[in-house]
Amino acid sequence: MKLVMTLPERPGFLHVVPVLNIFALMQLFFLLGPSMVMHSGVAVDLPPSRFQMERYDQSLVVTLGPGSPEPRIHFGRDPVTKAELETRLDQLREEGAQMRAMVLLQSDTGTPVGTEREITELVLSKGFRLAMVGRSVPDSDVVPKTTER
């Protein structure tokens, strides 16, 4: 004896559920994706800047953070000393890093200018290009300093 289904088939909503799941996952991916990107360096209080910098695919990040008595230096996420930074830059150059590779310098607002200058000169002396990174702010928030007489 053959069994025959007598109820009418109404699968309308059941076929839509997987599509709704896919849309929900896509929304989560696009909303949360940028926050999960790995950022190089460590968190520092960057000085404000009204200039936008282009993105570099193969950039190296050097971070100068607050510390006592000397500021902390990080190459990527690794804490280093000035001598270790110099050694790592030499190794990168020997391994065939691009002739004019870009180094992004993130410096905390409390970092002494002398330390920034030393690290800048070190990076430039090794043949790398250098860009100093700042925190982006609207043009109206940054007021240029003028001297009146």
Side-chain angles (χ1 to χ4, degrees), residues 29-51:
F29 174 74
F30 287 117
L31 289 175
L32 298 178
S35 65
M36 294 184 188
V37 172
M38 292 285 285
H39 293 286
S40 297
V42 294
V44 292
D45 182 25
L46 296 173
S49 174
R50 55 183 171 176
F51 299 102

Side-chain angles (χ1 to χ4, degrees), residues 62 64-65 69-73 82 85 105 107-123 130 132:
V62 176
L64 301 176
E70 295 253 335
R72 294 177 301 153
I73 303 171
K82 288 178 191 174
L85 177 63
L105 180 62
S107 182
D108 190 77
T109 53
T111 303
V113 175
T115 305
E116 284 182 0
R117 183 187 52 79
E118 290 174 13
I119 299 300
T120 300
E121 289 176 355
L122 173 68
V123 169
L130 181 81
M132 297 185 80

